[in-house]
Amino acid sequence: MPKPSHLSVLGVAKEVTPGTAVAAAKWIPFKTLTPKDDVNLIQDQGMRGSAVDVYGMYAGQKGAELDLGGDVYADTIGWPLVSVLPDLTTTGASAPFSHAMSTLNTGDTQPPSQTWTIFDPLGTWQYAGAQFSELGFKWNADGLFEWSAKAMSWAYTTTTTPTPSFTSVPPVANWNIVVNIGGTPTFVQDGELTIKRNVTAIRGAAGTQNPYRIWTGDISVEGKATLVMEAATQRTNFQSATIQSFDVSYTQGAGASQNGLQLHCSQVAFTEGTPSYGKEYIELPISFTAIANTTDAGTSAGYSPIKATLTNAVTSGTYK
């Protein structure tokens, strides 16, 4: 009998030891979830006097990849964010707390490793040692503010049945999103901002099929948006390679229930900015790349292409 996918739930928790699975501390509503189990089979091709090429198949090293996403909730989005921007500073004596996240430039520069748990009608699957290689945000005129991400992890293990519970923080409607370019509020029809980080599984001969460590590298940020072209300002900025800031933010609620997110790039350069005449009004599709700078750096100093500030009731020490 088929099993209903709508009974599946997704959880996450930070790990004490990288690669050692822990029970989910938070359950995250999702829209897309595709785990890919990597089983690298090894072929026995030793010739034995026959016109064949494979005489056996043996288990090689293992791992997994996760492709996931959903609507942005100002508490649960902190786990993917800290996995790409691990310089975390939490301030506030009581809710709402402010969590500033940026590039970590001290120590081993690594994000906290995480266990992502999928609980479905067939079992409970834990993907330990997870590190994110990509976290993207997307908005338009309709619907809800969305995120999507890709992560690499160890091969799954199974565990006992959990008891999920979900956030009471509401998602945010896209009409709430505010975009500022060069410090000026700008009408944007749709947009995307993506944080990327190189991720590598370090493998060797060590008596295990799992990697020694999943290691993250450099961070980059890129994005795009569609503007209504009411003036030639931003086209000129593209032509002159003018460096300016780019902000995406929202806030909702009040008092201890206030929540929101700001994605701030102090320096971006447009890589595209040519008018489009396909509609009854002129549009200006833009693409940009963020430039690392000292303003967006966190407490670890150095440079960062972005700073994300999350506002919610989550206490210090939860994400990292």
Side-chain angles (χ1 to χ4, degrees):
M1 178 183 295
K3 304 298 181 183
S5 59
H6 57 250
L7 295 182
S8 304
V9 294
L10 176 68
V12 64
K14 64 179 180 181
E15 297 173 352
V16 176
T17 303
T20 300
V22 294
K26 195 70 175 181
W27 298 91
I28 300 180
F30 70 91
K31 285 183 174 178
T32 59
L33 177 59
T34 306
K36 180 180 180 296
D37 301 324
D38 296 324
V39 180
N40 300 298
L41 295 175
I42 303 170
Q43 296 180 349
D44 176 2
Q45 295 182 312
M47 291 186 288
R48 294 163 169 79
S50 297
V52 298
D53 59 351
V54 178
Y55 291 86
M57 299 283 281
Y58 300 92
Q61 296 197 344
K62 293 183 177 181
E65 299 172 25
L66 299 174
D67 193 332
L68 62 165
D71 299 321
V72 172
Y73 300 83
D75 54 352
T76 57
I77 194 62
W79 274 275
L81 268 172
V82 80
S83 188
V84 290
L85 299 172
D87 184 329
L88 170 62
T89 300
T90 300
T91 55
S94 60
F97 299 97
S98 177
H99 311 274
M101 304 182 194
S102 188
T103 305
L104 183 61
N105 293 313
T106 56
D108 63 8
T109 73
Q110 297 301 291
S113 63
Q114 299 172 338
T115 297
W116 286 78
T117 299
I118 301 173
F119 171 46
D120 63 29
L122 295 169
T124 306
W125 322 91
Q126 291 184 309
Y127 293 84
Q131 298 284 16
F132 280 72
S133 60
E134 183 174 313
L135 174 61
F137 296 89
K138 187 175 183 178
W139 65 98
N140 53 34
D142 305 307
L144 300 176
F145 192 28
E146 295 182 334
W147 66 278
S148 60
K150 299 180 185 296
M152 183 182 293
S153 76
W154 289 24
Y156 73 80
T157 57
T158 58
T159 188
T160 57
T161 300
T163 304
S165 61
F166 295 93
T167 179
S168 60
V169 174
V172 58
N174 278 327
W175 60 262
N176 248 331
I177 303 299
V178 176
V179 176
N180 284 269
I181 302 178
T184 301
T186 303
F187 180 79
V188 172
Q189 296 182 91
D190 54 65
E192 298 178 20
L193 187 148
T194 303
I195 307 167
K196 295 184 178 181
R197 186 159 195 174
N198 296 328
V199 175
T200 302
I202 303 175
R203 298 187 178 277
T208 177
Q209 290 175 288
N210 281 311
Y212 169 68
R213 187 75 183 268
I214 296 177
W215 198 254
T216 63
D218 294 342
I219 293 173
S220 63
V221 177
E222 60 188 21
K224 59 183 180 180
T226 305
L227 314 182
V228 175
M229 193 173 176
E230 299 177 285
T233 305
Q234 297 302 342
R235 184 185 192 183
T236 301
N237 287 338
F238 166 56
Q239 291 290 330
S240 60
T242 299
I243 305 303
Q244 54 190 333
S245 61
F246 190 95
D247 287 89
V248 183
S249 64
Y250 78 89
T251 184
Q252 59 184 0
S257 298
Q258 181 180 344
N259 63 88
L261 172 64
Q262 180 187 34
L263 302 170
H264 172 72
C265 300
S266 290
Q267 297 184 13
V268 304
F270 288 173
T271 56
E272 180 56 59
T274 304
S276 172
Y277 299 93
K279 294 183 179 178
E280 294 182 348
Y281 53 90
I282 304 172
E283 294 179 318
L284 185 69
I286 61 167
S287 298
F288 63 86
T289 297
I291 302 169
N293 61 90
T294 57
T295 302
D296 293 340
T299 57
S300 64
Y303 290 75
S304 180
I306 188 171
K307 176 175 283 187
T309 303
L310 195 58
T311 304
N312 55 37
V314 177
T315 57
S316 178
T318 301
Y319 298 125
K320 180 181 177 183

